[in-house]
Amino acid sequence: MTTYVRVDEDLFGRMGLKFVVTPDGQALELLPGQLAEPGADVISHVGEPRFQVRMSTPVLTDADVPDVLGLALRRVADRLFGVMPDGTEDPDASGIVEGVMGPAAHDGGLLLSLDTDGFGFNPPMLETMTRIFVEELEPLAIPVELCAASWVTDEIPPAWRSTADRLDG
């Protein structure tokens, strides 16, 4: 059980685009971050994983992020490349993740957006990715919430810069 990292219990359900049929037969498209209502039938679950890490105060600039948290999220990004389609993590192999954008300040939190080259994601992959976040963030003793990022346009926010990065340039 984690003390400092709270993971959205509906993380998989909020991830990606969902095409659903409601109990009354209405067809809907739900955007990332949205959750299908109870009783709805999820017909298709597509897209690529996008995570958001929220602190107790909104992240508006790079300076709002403790360096230890931003650096830990860079380690998370590095480890995500080793996640395999079956949910195992192999740091010596190239998994399904081809690119990780972020961490970047976006929408009050820190965004990590993954490129799986159209493969998408599945529950075992997402469980492993979540475990990686928890393993890297829990030791920091900084209360955070891990959730699915809401819809993001194709515009990629600039990557987070540490205090040292900001002072150098």
Coordinates of all heavy atoms in Angstrom, one line a residue, residues 32-118:
P32 N -10.2 11.0 -23.5 CA -9.3 10.6 -22.4 C -9.7 11.4 -21.1 O -10.0 12.6 -21.2 CB -7.9 11.0 -22.9 CG -8.1 10.9 -24.4 CD -9.4 11.4 -24.7
G33 N -9.7 10.8 -20.0 CA -10.1 11.4 -18.7 C -11.5 11.1 -18.4 O -11.9 11.2 -17.2
Q34 N -12.3 10.9 -19.4 CA -13.8 10.6 -19.1 C -14.0 9.1 -18.8 O -13.2 8.3 -19.3 CB -14.6 11.0 -20.3 CG -14.6 12.5 -20.5 CD -15.5 12.9 -21.7 OE1 -15.4 12.2 -22.8 NE2 -16.2 14.0 -21.6
L35 N -15.0 8.8 -18.0 CA -15.2 7.4 -17.6 C -16.6 7.1 -18.1 O -17.6 7.9 -17.9 CB -15.1 7.3 -16.1 CG -15.2 6.0 -15.4 CD1 -14.0 5.1 -15.9 CD2 -15.2 6.1 -13.9
A36 N -16.8 5.9 -18.6 CA -18.1 5.4 -19.0 C -19.0 5.2 -17.8 O -18.5 4.8 -16.7 CB -18.0 4.1 -19.8
E37 N -20.3 5.5 -17.9 CA -21.2 5.3 -16.8 C -21.4 3.9 -16.5 O -21.2 3.0 -17.4 CB -22.5 6.0 -17.1 CG -23.3 5.4 -18.3 CD -24.6 6.1 -18.6 OE1 -24.5 7.3 -19.0 OE2 -25.7 5.5 -18.4
P38 N -21.8 3.6 -15.3 CA -22.1 2.1 -15.0 C -23.1 1.6 -15.9 O -24.1 2.2 -16.2 CB -22.6 2.2 -13.5 CG -22.0 3.5 -13.0 CD -22.0 4.4 -14.2
G39 N -22.9 0.4 -16.3 CA -23.8 -0.3 -17.2 C -23.6 -0.1 -18.7 O -24.2 -0.7 -19.5
A40 N -22.7 0.9 -19.0 CA -22.4 1.1 -20.4 C -21.5 0.0 -20.9 O -20.7 -0.5 -20.2 CB -21.7 2.5 -20.6
D41 N -21.6 -0.3 -22.2 CA -20.8 -1.3 -22.9 C -19.7 -0.6 -23.6 O -20.0 0.1 -24.6 CB -21.7 -2.2 -23.8 CG -21.0 -3.4 -24.4 OD1 -19.9 -3.7 -23.8 OD2 -21.5 -3.9 -25.4
V42 N -18.5 -0.8 -23.2 CA -17.3 -0.2 -23.9 C -17.0 -1.1 -25.2 O -16.6 -2.2 -25.0 CB -16.1 -0.1 -23.0 CG1 -14.9 0.5 -23.8 CG2 -16.4 0.7 -21.8
I43 N -17.3 -0.5 -26.3 CA -17.1 -1.3 -27.6 C -15.7 -1.2 -28.0 O -15.1 -2.2 -28.5 CB -18.0 -0.6 -28.7 CG1 -19.5 -0.6 -28.3 CG2 -17.8 -1.3 -30.0 CD1 -20.0 -2.0 -28.0
S44 N -15.0 -0.1 -27.8 CA -13.6 0.1 -28.3 C -12.9 1.0 -27.3 O -13.5 2.0 -26.9 CB -13.6 0.7 -29.7 OG -12.3 0.9 -30.2
H45 N -11.7 0.7 -27.1 CA -10.8 1.4 -26.1 C -9.5 1.6 -26.9 O -8.7 0.7 -27.1 CB -10.6 0.6 -24.9 CG -10.2 1.4 -23.7 ND1 -10.8 1.1 -22.5 CD2 -9.4 2.4 -23.5 CE1 -10.3 1.9 -21.6 NE2 -9.4 2.7 -22.2
V46 N -9.3 2.9 -27.4 CA -8.1 3.1 -28.3 C -7.3 4.3 -27.8 O -7.7 5.0 -26.9 CB -8.5 3.3 -29.7 CG1 -9.2 2.0 -30.3 CG2 -9.4 4.5 -29.9
G47 N -6.2 4.6 -28.5 CA -5.4 5.7 -28.1 C -4.1 5.3 -27.5 O -3.8 4.1 -27.4
E48 N -3.4 6.3 -27.0 CA -2.1 6.0 -26.4 C -2.2 6.5 -24.9 O -2.9 7.5 -24.6 CB -1.0 6.6 -27.2 CG -0.9 6.0 -28.5 CD 0.2 6.5 -29.4 OE1 0.3 7.7 -29.6 OE2 0.9 5.7 -30.0
P49 N -1.4 5.9 -24.0 CA -1.4 6.3 -22.6 C -0.9 7.7 -22.4 O 0.1 8.2 -23.0 CB -0.5 5.3 -22.0 CG -0.3 4.2 -22.9 CD -0.5 4.8 -24.3
R50 N -1.6 8.5 -21.6 CA -1.3 9.8 -21.2 C -1.5 9.9 -19.7 O -2.7 9.8 -19.3 CB -2.0 10.9 -21.9 CG -1.7 10.9 -23.4 CD -2.3 12.1 -24.1 NE -1.8 12.2 -25.4 CZ -2.5 12.5 -26.5 NH1 -3.7 12.8 -26.4 NH2 -1.9 12.6 -27.6
F51 N -0.5 10.1 -18.9 CA -0.6 10.2 -17.5 C -0.4 11.6 -17.0 O 0.3 12.4 -17.6 CB 0.5 9.3 -16.8 CG 0.4 7.9 -17.1 CD1 1.1 7.3 -18.2 CD2 -0.3 7.0 -16.3 CE1 1.1 6.0 -18.5 CE2 -0.3 5.6 -16.6 CZ 0.3 5.1 -17.7
Q52 N -1.1 11.9 -15.9 CA -0.9 13.2 -15.2 C -0.6 12.9 -13.8 O -1.3 12.1 -13.1 CB -2.1 14.1 -15.4 CG -1.8 15.5 -14.8 CD -2.7 16.5 -15.4 OE1 -3.9 16.3 -15.3 NE2 -2.2 17.6 -15.8
V53 N 0.4 13.6 -13.3 CA 0.8 13.6 -11.9 C 0.4 14.9 -11.3 O 0.9 15.9 -11.8 CB 2.3 13.3 -11.7 CG1 2.7 13.3 -10.2 CG2 2.6 11.9 -12.2
R54 N -0.5 14.9 -10.3 CA -1.0 16.1 -9.6 C -0.4 16.2 -8.2 O -0.5 15.2 -7.5 CB -2.5 16.2 -9.6 CG -3.1 16.3 -11.0 CD -4.6 16.5 -10.9 NE -5.1 16.8 -12.2 CZ -5.2 18.0 -12.8 NH1 -4.7 19.0 -12.1 NH2 -5.7 18.2 -14.0
M55 N 0.0 17.4 -7.9 CA 0.4 17.6 -6.5 C -0.7 18.3 -5.8 O -1.7 18.6 -6.4 CB 1.7 18.5 -6.5 CG 2.9 17.8 -7.1 SD 4.5 18.7 -7.0 CE 4.0 20.4 -7.2
S56 N -0.5 18.6 -4.5 CA -1.6 19.3 -3.7 C -1.8 20.8 -4.2 O -2.8 21.3 -4.0 CB -1.2 19.3 -2.2 OG 0.0 19.9 -2.0
T57 N -0.8 21.4 -4.8 CA -0.9 22.7 -5.4 C -0.7 22.6 -6.9 O 0.1 21.7 -7.4 CB 0.1 23.7 -4.8 OG1 1.4 23.1 -5.1 CG2 -0.1 23.9 -3.3
P58 N -1.4 23.4 -7.7 CA -1.3 23.3 -9.1 C 0.1 23.6 -9.6 O 0.8 24.5 -9.1 CB -2.3 24.3 -9.6 CG -3.2 24.6 -8.5 CD -2.4 24.4 -7.3
V59 N 0.5 22.9 -10.7 CA 1.7 23.1 -11.4 C 1.4 24.1 -12.5 O 0.7 23.8 -13.5 CB 2.3 21.8 -11.9 CG1 3.6 22.1 -12.8 CG2 2.7 20.9 -10.8
L60 N 2.0 25.3 -12.4 CA 1.8 26.3 -13.4 C 3.1 26.6 -14.2 O 3.1 26.9 -15.3 CB 1.2 27.6 -12.8 CG -0.1 27.5 -12.0 CD1 -0.5 28.8 -11.4 CD2 -1.2 26.9 -12.9
T61 N 4.2 26.4 -13.5 CA 5.5 26.7 -14.1 C 6.4 25.6 -13.6 O 6.2 24.8 -12.6 CB 6.1 28.0 -13.7 OG1 6.5 28.0 -12.3 CG2 5.1 29.2 -13.9
D62 N 7.6 25.5 -14.3 CA 8.6 24.5 -13.9 C 9.0 24.7 -12.4 O 9.3 23.7 -11.7 CB 9.8 24.5 -14.8 CG 9.5 24.1 -16.2 OD1 8.4 23.5 -16.4 OD2 10.3 24.3 -17.1
A63 N 9.1 25.9 -12.0 CA 9.5 26.2 -10.6 C 8.6 25.7 -9.5 O 8.9 25.5 -8.4 CB 9.7 27.7 -10.4
D64 N 7.3 25.3 -9.9 CA 6.3 24.7 -9.0 C 6.6 23.3 -8.7 O 6.0 22.7 -7.8 CB 4.9 24.9 -9.5 CG 4.5 26.3 -9.7 OD1 5.0 27.2 -9.0 OD2 3.6 26.6 -10.6
V65 N 7.6 22.7 -9.4 CA 7.8 21.3 -9.3 C 9.1 21.1 -8.5 O 10.2 21.5 -8.9 CB 8.0 20.6 -10.6 CG1 8.2 19.1 -10.5 CG2 6.7 20.9 -11.5
P66 N 9.1 20.4 -7.4 CA 10.4 20.0 -6.7 C 11.3 19.3 -7.6 O 10.8 18.4 -8.3 CB 9.9 19.2 -5.5 CG 8.5 19.4 -5.3 CD 7.9 19.8 -6.6
D67 N 12.5 19.6 -7.6 CA 13.5 18.9 -8.5 C 13.5 17.4 -8.4 O 13.5 16.7 -9.3 CB 14.9 19.5 -8.3 CG 15.1 20.8 -9.0 OD1 14.3 21.2 -9.8 OD2 16.1 21.5 -8.7
V68 N 13.3 16.9 -7.1 CA 13.4 15.5 -6.9 C 12.2 14.8 -7.6 O 12.3 13.7 -8.1 CB 13.4 15.1 -5.4 CG1 14.7 15.5 -4.8 CG2 12.2 15.6 -4.6
L69 N 11.0 15.5 -7.7 CA 9.9 14.9 -8.3 C 10.1 14.9 -9.8 O 9.8 13.9 -10.5 CB 8.6 15.7 -8.0 CG 7.3 15.3 -8.7 CD1 7.0 13.8 -8.4 CD2 6.2 16.2 -8.2
G70 N 10.5 16.1 -10.4 CA 10.7 16.1 -11.8 C 11.8 15.1 -12.3 O 11.6 14.5 -13.3
L71 N 12.9 15.0 -11.5 CA 13.9 14.0 -11.9 C 13.4 12.6 -11.8 O 13.7 11.7 -12.6 CB 15.1 14.2 -11.0 CG 15.8 15.6 -11.3 CD1 16.9 15.8 -10.2 CD2 16.4 15.7 -12.7
A72 N 12.5 12.3 -10.8 CA 11.9 11.0 -10.7 C 11.1 10.7 -11.8 O 11.0 9.6 -12.4 CB 11.2 10.9 -9.3
L73 N 10.3 11.7 -12.3 CA 9.5 11.5 -13.5 C 10.3 11.3 -14.8 O 9.9 10.5 -15.7 CB 8.5 12.6 -13.7 CG 7.4 12.7 -12.6 CD1 6.6 13.9 -12.7 CD2 6.5 11.4 -12.7
R74 N 11.5 11.8 -14.8 CA 12.4 11.5 -15.9 C 12.8 10.0 -15.9 O 12.9 9.4 -16.9 CB 13.6 12.4 -15.9 CG 13.3 13.8 -16.3 CD 14.6 14.6 -16.3 NE 14.4 16.0 -16.7 CZ 15.3 17.0 -16.6 NH1 16.5 16.7 -16.1 NH2 15.1 18.2 -16.9
R75 N 13.0 9.5 -14.7 CA 13.4 8.1 -14.5 C 12.2 7.2 -14.9 O 12.4 6.2 -15.5 CB 13.8 7.8 -13.1 CG 15.2 8.4 -12.7 CD 15.7 7.8 -11.4 NE 14.8 8.0 -10.2 CZ 14.8 9.1 -9.5 NH1 15.6 10.2 -9.7 NH2 13.9 9.2 -8.5
V76 N 11.0 7.7 -14.5 CA 9.8 6.9 -14.9 C 9.8 6.8 -16.5 O 9.6 5.8 -17.0 CB 8.5 7.6 -14.4 CG1 7.3 7.0 -15.1 CG2 8.4 7.5 -12.9
A77 N 10.0 8.0 -17.1 CA 9.9 8.0 -18.6 C 10.9 7.0 -19.2 O 10.6 6.3 -20.1 CB 10.2 9.4 -19.1
D78 N 12.1 7.0 -18.6 CA 13.2 6.1 -19.1 C 12.7 4.7 -19.0 O 13.0 3.8 -19.9 CB 14.5 6.3 -18.4 CG 15.2 7.6 -18.8 OD1 14.8 8.2 -19.8 OD2 16.1 8.1 -18.0
R79 N 12.2 4.3 -17.8 CA 11.7 2.9 -17.6 C 10.6 2.5 -18.4 O 10.4 1.3 -18.7 CB 11.4 2.8 -16.1 CG 12.6 2.8 -15.2 CD 12.3 2.6 -13.7 NE 11.7 1.3 -13.5 CZ 11.1 0.9 -12.3 NH1 11.1 1.8 -11.3 NH2 10.6 -0.3 -12.2
L80 N 9.7 3.4 -18.8 CA 8.5 3.1 -19.6 C 8.9 2.4 -20.9 O 8.1 1.7 -21.5 CB 7.6 4.3 -19.8 CG 6.9 4.8 -18.5 CD1 6.2 6.1 -18.8 CD2 6.0 3.7 -17.9
F81 N 10.1 2.8 -21.5 CA 10.5 2.2 -22.7 C 10.7 0.7 -22.6 O 10.7 0.0 -23.7 CB 11.8 2.8 -23.2 CG 11.7 4.2 -23.7 CD1 11.9 5.3 -22.9 CD2 11.3 4.4 -25.0 CE1 11.8 6.6 -23.4 CE2 11.1 5.7 -25.6 CZ 11.4 6.8 -24.7
G82 N 10.9 0.1 -21.5 CA 11.1 -1.3 -21.3 C 9.8 -2.1 -21.0 O 9.8 -3.3 -20.8
V83 N 8.6 -1.4 -21.1 CA 7.4 -2.1 -20.8 C 7.0 -2.9 -22.1 O 6.9 -2.4 -23.2 CB 6.2 -1.2 -20.4 CG1 4.9 -1.9 -20.3 CG2 6.6 -0.5 -19.1
M84 N 6.8 -4.2 -21.9 CA 6.4 -5.1 -23.0 C 4.9 -5.3 -23.1 O 4.2 -5.0 -22.1 CB 7.1 -6.5 -22.7 CG 8.6 -6.4 -22.4 SD 9.5 -5.6 -23.7 CE 9.7 -6.9 -24.9
P85 N 4.4 -5.7 -24.3 CA 3.0 -5.9 -24.4 C 2.3 -6.8 -23.4 O 1.1 -6.6 -23.1 CB 2.8 -6.5 -25.8 CG 4.1 -6.0 -26.6 CD 5.1 -6.0 -25.5
D86 N 3.0 -7.8 -22.9 CA 2.4 -8.7 -21.9 C 2.5 -8.1 -20.5 O 2.0 -8.7 -19.5 CB 3.1 -10.0 -21.9 CG 4.5 -10.0 -21.5 OD1 5.1 -8.9 -21.2 OD2 5.2 -11.1 -21.4
G87 N 3.0 -6.9 -20.3 CA 3.0 -6.2 -19.0 C 4.3 -6.4 -18.3 O 4.5 -5.8 -17.2
T88 N 5.2 -7.2 -18.8 CA 6.5 -7.3 -18.1 C 7.4 -6.1 -18.4 O 7.1 -5.3 -19.3 CB 7.3 -8.6 -18.5 OG1 7.5 -8.5 -19.9 CG2 6.5 -9.8 -18.2
E89 N 8.4 -5.9 -17.5 CA 9.3 -4.8 -17.7 C 10.7 -5.4 -17.9 O 11.2 -6.2 -17.1 CB 9.4 -3.9 -16.5 CG 10.3 -2.7 -16.6 CD 10.5 -1.9 -15.4 OE1 9.9 -2.2 -14.3 OE2 11.2 -0.9 -15.4
D90 N 11.3 -5.0 -19.1 CA 12.6 -5.5 -19.4 C 13.5 -4.3 -19.8 O 13.4 -3.8 -20.9 CB 12.6 -6.5 -20.6 CG 13.9 -7.1 -20.9 OD1 14.9 -6.6 -20.4 OD2 13.9 -8.1 -21.7
P91 N 14.3 -3.9 -18.8 CA 15.1 -2.7 -19.0 C 16.1 -2.8 -20.2 O 16.6 -1.8 -20.7 CB 15.8 -2.4 -17.7 CG 15.7 -3.7 -16.9 CD 14.5 -4.4 -17.5
D92 N 16.4 -4.0 -20.6 CA 17.4 -4.3 -21.6 C 16.8 -4.4 -23.0 O 17.5 -4.7 -24.0 CB 18.2 -5.5 -21.3 CG 19.0 -5.4 -20.1 OD1 19.5 -4.3 -19.8 OD2 19.1 -6.4 -19.3
A93 N 15.4 -4.3 -23.1 CA 14.7 -4.5 -24.4 C 13.9 -3.3 -24.7 O 13.6 -2.5 -23.8 CB 13.8 -5.7 -24.3
S94 N 13.6 -3.2 -26.0 CA 12.7 -2.1 -26.4 C 11.3 -2.6 -26.4 O 11.0 -3.6 -27.1 CB 13.1 -1.6 -27.8 OG 14.3 -1.0 -27.8
G95 N 10.5 -2.1 -25.5 CA 9.1 -2.5 -25.4 C 8.3 -1.8 -26.5 O 8.7 -1.5 -27.5
I96 N 7.0 -1.7 -26.1 CA 6.1 -1.1 -27.1 C 6.1 0.4 -27.1 O 5.6 1.0 -28.0 CB 4.6 -1.7 -26.7 CG1 3.7 -1.6 -27.9 CG2 4.1 -1.0 -25.5 CD1 4.1 -2.5 -29.0
V97 N 6.7 1.0 -26.1 CA 6.7 2.5 -26.0 C 7.9 3.0 -26.9 O 9.0 2.6 -26.7 CB 6.9 3.0 -24.6 CG1 7.1 4.5 -24.5 CG2 5.8 2.5 -23.7
E98 N 7.5 3.8 -27.9 CA 8.6 4.3 -28.8 C 9.0 5.7 -28.4 O 10.1 6.2 -28.9 CB 8.0 4.3 -30.2 CG 7.8 3.0 -30.8 CD 7.5 3.0 -32.3 OE1 7.1 4.0 -32.8 OE2 7.7 1.9 -32.9
G99 N 8.2 6.4 -27.6 CA 8.5 7.8 -27.2 C 7.7 8.2 -26.0 O 6.6 7.7 -25.8
V100 N 8.4 9.0 -25.2 CA 7.7 9.6 -24.0 C 7.9 11.1 -24.1 O 9.1 11.6 -24.1 CB 8.2 9.0 -22.7 CG1 7.5 9.7 -21.5 CG2 8.1 7.5 -22.6
M101 N 6.8 11.9 -24.1 CA 6.9 13.3 -24.1 C 6.6 13.7 -22.7 O 5.6 13.4 -22.1 CB 5.9 14.0 -25.0 CG 6.3 13.9 -26.5 SD 6.5 12.2 -27.2 CE 4.8 11.7 -27.4
G102 N 7.6 14.5 -22.1 CA 7.4 15.0 -20.7 C 8.4 14.4 -19.8 O 9.3 13.6 -20.3
P103 N 8.4 14.7 -18.6 CA 7.3 15.4 -17.9 C 7.2 16.9 -18.4 O 8.2 17.5 -18.7 CB 7.6 15.3 -16.4 CG 9.1 15.2 -16.4 CD 9.5 14.4 -17.7
A104 N 6.0 17.4 -18.4 CA 5.7 18.7 -18.9 C 4.6 19.3 -18.0 O 3.6 18.6 -17.8 CB 5.4 18.8 -20.3
A105 N 4.7 20.6 -17.6 CA 3.6 21.2 -16.9 C 2.5 21.4 -17.9 O 2.6 22.0 -19.0 CB 4.1 22.6 -16.4
H106 N 1.3 20.9 -17.5 CA 0.1 21.0 -18.3 C -1.1 20.8 -17.5 O -1.2 19.9 -16.7 CB 0.2 19.9 -19.4 CG -1.0 20.0 -20.3 ND1 -1.2 20.9 -21.3 CD2 -2.1 19.2 -20.3 CE1 -2.4 20.7 -21.9 NE2 -2.9 19.6 -21.3
D107 N -2.1 21.7 -17.6 CA -3.4 21.6 -17.0 C -3.3 21.4 -15.5 O -4.0 20.6 -14.9 CB -4.1 20.4 -17.6 CG -5.6 20.4 -17.3 OD1 -6.2 21.5 -17.0 OD2 -6.2 19.3 -17.3
G108 N -2.3 22.1 -14.8 CA -2.2 22.0 -13.4 C -1.4 20.9 -12.8 O -1.3 20.7 -11.6
G109 N -0.9 20.0 -13.7 CA -0.1 18.9 -13.2 C 1.1 18.6 -14.2 O 1.5 19.5 -14.9
L110 N 1.7 17.5 -14.0 CA 2.8 17.1 -14.9 C 2.3 16.0 -15.8 O 1.9 14.9 -15.4 CB 4.0 16.6 -14.0 CG 4.6 17.8 -13.3 CD1 5.4 17.2 -12.1 CD2 5.5 18.5 -14.2
L111 N 2.5 16.2 -17.1 CA 2.0 15.3 -18.1 C 3.1 14.4 -18.7 O 4.2 14.9 -18.9 CB 1.4 16.1 -19.3 CG 1.1 15.4 -20.6 CD1 -0.2 14.6 -20.4 CD2 0.9 16.4 -21.7
L112 N 2.9 13.1 -18.8 CA 3.7 12.2 -19.6 C 2.8 11.6 -20.6 O 1.9 10.9 -20.3 CB 4.3 11.2 -18.7 CG 5.6 11.6 -17.9 CD1 5.2 12.1 -16.5 CD2 6.6 10.5 -17.8
S113 N 3.2 11.8 -21.9 CA 2.4 11.3 -23.0 C 3.2 10.3 -23.7 O 4.3 10.6 -24.1 CB 2.0 12.5 -23.9 OG 1.2 12.1 -24.9
L114 N 2.7 9.1 -24.0 CA 3.4 8.0 -24.6 C 3.1 7.8 -26.0 O 1.9 8.0 -26.4 CB 3.2 6.7 -23.8 CG 4.0 6.5 -22.5 CD1 3.6 7.6 -21.5 CD2 3.7 5.2 -22.0
D115 N 4.0 7.4 -26.8 CA 3.8 7.1 -28.2 C 4.1 5.6 -28.3 O 5.2 5.1 -28.1 CB 4.8 7.8 -29.1 CG 4.7 7.4 -30.6 OD1 3.8 6.6 -30.9 OD2 5.5 7.9 -31.4
T116 N 3.0 4.8 -28.6 CA 3.1 3.4 -28.8 C 3.0 3.0 -30.2 O 2.7 1.8 -30.5 CB 2.1 2.6 -27.9 OG1 0.8 3.0 -28.3 CG2 2.3 2.9 -26.4
D117 N 3.1 4.0 -31.1 CA 3.1 3.7 -32.6 C 1.8 3.0 -33.0 O 1.8 2.0 -33.7 CB 4.3 3.0 -33.1 CG 4.4 3.1 -34.6 OD1 3.9 4.1 -35.2 OD2 4.9 2.2 -35.2
G118 N 0.7 3.4 -32.4 CA -0.6 2.8 -32.7 C -1.0 1.6 -32.0 O -2.1 1.0 -32.1

